[in-house]
Amino acid sequence: MKKLLPLCAVLALSACSNQPNQLILNPVYQGGKVSVINSNLSTSVIDLRGDNVTLKIIESDKTKTLASPGIADSVKSALDSALSRNGANISNLSTIRFELDIHQLQAVVTEKMMTHSSNATIEFGVRVVKNASTFNKNYQGNANLEGPLSHDRAKIEGQLNKLTEQIITRIVSDPELIAYLEG
């Protein structure tokens, strides 16, 4: 029994130190009403990235990559929330299709001896199909983060979540897109 207790403690501590091999992306639209979208929309989000790497960590002689499962569902949830808060009615029965393509969504972290930097890049393509016409536009953004020592994965997740929310806010407040939906 005395030998078992230290072994359990060591196992518990080692389990706490291991981070999962994935990045948790969960953007939440926190913006209020920034526009008026009086439309019924059927929404979809498609991940068109060439690879599913969401986080790339570059150290002196090696590179580690992490994916983010369910990224399309996470972005769709934030998009639907943003559209709804700005007056749109989300319905699978709608004849107006609002499609968002994820072209790029990745943070690249460069680890140095005493510092790290993170460069996040996101590009979304929006396509709205209404009657016989189509609206297409790309939205992109970058965010940089620097800090001492090694990176904190939660901060990188926060960086990507915040940038995703900012781009979605830009989408739902885009005067060209709103004019197209109202036309």
Side-chain angles (χ1 to χ4, degrees), residues 19-113:
Q19 293 183 336
N21 267 347
Q22 62 188 22
L23 192 73
I24 307 300
L25 187 71
N26 189 24
V28 176
Y29 179 74
Q30 297 177 5
K33 190 169 183 133
V34 293
S35 62
V36 177
I37 303 172
N38 290 320
S39 297
N40 292 323
L41 304 172
S42 169
T43 62
S44 64
V45 174
I46 303 165
D47 188 355
L48 296 178
R49 298 175 300 155
D51 62 20
N52 65 349
V53 172
T54 307
L55 174 61
K56 185 182 290 187
I57 304 167
I58 302 170
E59 294 175 349
S60 60
D61 60 342
K62 61 183 176 182
T63 300
K64 182 178 179 182
T65 60
L66 299 172
S68 182
I71 199 166
D73 292 335
S74 297
V75 172
K76 183 178 184 323
S77 176
L79 177 66
D80 287 354
S81 176
L83 289 167
S84 294
R85 285 193 188 171
N86 287 283
N89 180 36
I90 309 301
S91 169
N92 290 336
L93 303 175
S94 176
T95 57
I96 301 174
R97 292 192 335 255
F98 191 109
E99 301 165 349
L100 186 144
D101 297 331
I102 302 172
H103 295 292
Q104 187 172 11
L105 197 157
Q106 186 178 71
V108 177
V109 173
T110 304
E111 296 276 0
K112 295 192 175 155
M113 183 76 79

Side-chain angles (χ1 to χ4, degrees), residues 124-146:
F124 293 152
V126 170
R127 181 176 47 261
V128 180
V129 180
K130 179 179 169 185
N131 300 325
S133 66
T134 303
F135 172 91
N136 286 299
K137 190 168 182 179
N138 285 343
Y139 301 84
Q140 55 191 5
N142 295 300
N144 296 305
L145 179 71
E146 292 184 9

